[in-house]
């Protein structure tokens, strides 16, 4: 199955696919596409950014255009909504869905939510309406599909907040956490310290630390370091850049500083990490 809506004038593009055909697989390698992937059955063999990312039954994962995703061709039980920025830009429409910096671009690894019975019923209902809209060929089709996508993203954001936050978070605090994540996404290659982000937010480092300690399962510094590490892994695995080139691209003054940072956080040097990961990919016949 691969249902498609496209508007050539806007260059907008959205697909509803189960990855069983060649078109669905091809979409995984297209740049600039967001991906919402729903596992209706337990999966195996999926990797995201080179890391195993198998999904359990009734889990949903939210991926950005930055994520490198591999799904085996024989994988069953997956449904995915794949769309580009021209169809719906997460950043430009943040006031509508309030997900930028949380559901998308909110951590070093895509957020995964597990649907309970009631949530599964709600998600399935939205999906069925979504599917129906792809079949209605009229002038309002694009806007109706866009409206259902917004509804799905809002639903996903609410569920993610419920499952990822330690306790009910006030709107002002939620916005602060999101803004911190957005700033990290924009600046992680040049700003590596918590106080630098605190200054941008007009907050003290202690205030940030207290907010994350109370509501999140991570710390501001861990968030920064994990984002740098994610980019380091991506560049090591999916680019031809040397370790030295990656060090300078990620804002380290010396390649040795990058190597120490990488080894401290992964227990491996950049070179050994790349060698090991490439051997594993070859052994598993991954692209």
């Amino acid at each position: 199955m691969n249902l498609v809506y496209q508007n050539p004038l806007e260059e907008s593009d959205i697909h509803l696919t189960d990855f069983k055909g060649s078109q669905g697989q091809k979409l995984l390698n297209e740049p600039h596409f967001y991906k919402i992937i729903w596992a209706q059955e337990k999966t195996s063999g999926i990797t995201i950014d080179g890391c195993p990312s198998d999904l359990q039954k009734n889990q949903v994962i939210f991926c950005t255009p930055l994520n490198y995703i591999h799904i085996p061709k024989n994988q069953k039980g997956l449904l995915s909504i794949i769309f580009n920025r021209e169809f719906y830009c997460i950043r430009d429409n943040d006031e509508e869905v309030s997900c930028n910096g949380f559901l998308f671009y909110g951590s070093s690894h895509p957020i995964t939510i597990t649907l309970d019975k009631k949530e599964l019923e709600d998600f399935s209902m939205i999906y069925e309406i979504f599917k129906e809209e792809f079949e209605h060929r009229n002038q309002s089709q694009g806007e109706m599909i866009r409206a259902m996508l917004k509804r799905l993203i809002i639903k996903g954001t609410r569920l993610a907040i419920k499952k990822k936050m330690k306790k009910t978070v006030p709107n002002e605090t939620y916005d602060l956490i999101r803004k911190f994540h957005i700033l990290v996404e924009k600046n992680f290659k040049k700003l590596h310290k918590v106080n630098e982000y605190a200054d941008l937010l007009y907050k003290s480092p202690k205030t940030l630390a207290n907010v994350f300690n109370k509501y999140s399962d991570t710390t501001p510094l861990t968030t920064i370091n994990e984002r740098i590490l994610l980019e380091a892994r991506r560049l090591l695995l999916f680019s031809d850049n040397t370790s030295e080139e990656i060090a300078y691209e990620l804002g380290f003054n010396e390649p040795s500083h990058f190597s120490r940072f990488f080894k401290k956080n992964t227990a491996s040097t950049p070179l050994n990490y790349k060698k090991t990961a490439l051997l594993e990919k070859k052994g598993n016949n991954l692209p």
Side-chain angles (χ1 to χ4, degrees):
M1 177 189 69
N2 187 51
L3 304 177
V4 185
Y5 171 81
Q6 295 174 318
N7 186 322
L9 293 177
E10 299 175 351
E11 298 184 339
S12 63
D13 200 342
I14 182 168
H15 299 250
L16 190 61
T17 182
D18 57 9
F19 298 113
K20 290 181 181 178
S22 59
Q23 183 61 28
Q25 285 285 328
K26 183 180 178 182
L27 287 169
L28 290 175
N29 300 316
E30 290 288 340
H32 314 307
F33 277 78
Y34 294 89
K35 303 169 186 72
I36 302 173
I37 303 173
W38 174 18
Q40 296 183 307
E41 301 293 339
K42 183 178 179 180
T43 67
S44 61
I46 295 176
T47 63
I48 298 178
D49 299 320
C51 299
S53 300
D54 292 336
L55 297 173
Q56 300 301 312
K57 184 177 181 179
N58 294 328
Q59 284 191 327
V60 184
I61 191 166
F62 298 82
C63 300
T64 75
L66 299 175
N67 297 120
Y68 291 87
I69 305 171
H70 168 73
I71 296 176
K73 292 182 180 180
N74 60 348
Q75 187 64 252
K76 297 179 180 180
L78 289 180
L79 289 172
S80 182
I81 298 164
I82 302 177
F83 59 98
N84 63 6
R85 293 185 178 97
E86 287 71 24
F87 184 81
Y88 194 78
C89 181
I90 296 299
R91 292 172 178 171
D92 291 349
N93 294 289
D94 187 52
E95 289 186 2
E96 294 183 328
V97 292
S98 298
C99 68
N100 190 23
F102 186 75
L103 195 64
F104 296 103
Y105 304 109
S107 66
S108 62
H109 192 77
I111 279 186
T112 301
I113 58 175
T114 302
L115 304 174
D116 62 24
K117 184 177 180 181
K118 176 61 169 61
E119 294 161 353
L120 178 60
E121 291 175 357
D122 293 344
F123 204 86
S124 298
M125 179 188 68
I126 295 173
Y127 168 79
E128 287 301 326
I129 298 173
F130 208 118
K131 184 178 177 181
E132 288 178 8
E133 293 301 333
F134 275 89
E135 300 171 358
H136 295 297
R137 302 290 179 178
N138 52 50
Q139 291 184 342
S140 64
Q141 183 186 21
E143 285 306 311
M144 290 299 294
I145 293 175
R146 193 172 286 109
M148 293 311 301
L149 176 62
K150 287 192 288 187
R151 184 175 175 183
L152 191 67
I153 292 173
I154 291 170
K155 181 70 174 178
T157 301
R158 289 174 178 171
L159 292 178
I161 291 172
K162 178 181 175 183
K163 295 176 185 298
K164 295 295 181 180
M165 293 295 191
K166 291 181 181 179
K167 57 179 71 176
T168 302
V169 55
N171 290 337
E172 183 178 350
T173 303
Y174 173 64
D175 285 339
L176 176 62
I177 293 172
R178 291 199 308 121
K179 288 176 182 177
F180 174 79
H181 283 298
I182 292 169
L183 286 172
V184 171
E185 185 62 37
K186 290 180 178 178
N187 300 287
F188 71 90
K189 290 184 179 181
K190 56 184 180 181
L191 303 181
H192 295 178
K193 299 178 180 179
V194 175
N195 68 289
E196 294 173 310
Y197 292 97
D199 288 343
L200 292 174
L201 291 165
Y202 302 102
K203 302 290 184 182
S204 70
K206 184 176 181 180
T207 297
L208 275 180
N210 289 339
V211 166
F212 273 74
N213 181 58
K214 185 174 182 179
Y215 295 102
S216 181
D217 58 357
T218 186
T219 68
L221 182 59
T222 300
T223 301
I224 297 167
N225 288 346
E226 286 183 348
R227 185 62 186 88
I228 297 169
L229 282 170
L230 174 61
E231 198 68 18
R233 292 189 183 102
R234 285 175 179 161
L235 291 170
L236 287 167
L237 294 180
F238 303 108
S239 79
D240 296 324
N241 295 356
T242 65
S243 180
E244 290 78 9
E245 290 170 333
I246 292 171
Y248 291 124
E249 182 173 343
L250 294 179
F252 291 89
N253 294 326
E254 296 291 340
S256 60
H257 296 170
F258 168 61
S259 293
R260 284 198 296 271
F261 169 84
F262 194 89
K263 188 172 183 179
K264 179 181 178 181
N265 288 279
T266 66
S268 174
T269 66
L271 184 59
N272 285 339
Y273 172 81
K274 183 170 185 174
K275 286 181 178 178
T276 301
L278 291 178
L279 285 173
E280 289 177 353
K281 286 176 66 177
K282 186 177 181 180
N284 293 324
N285 296 316
L286 298 178

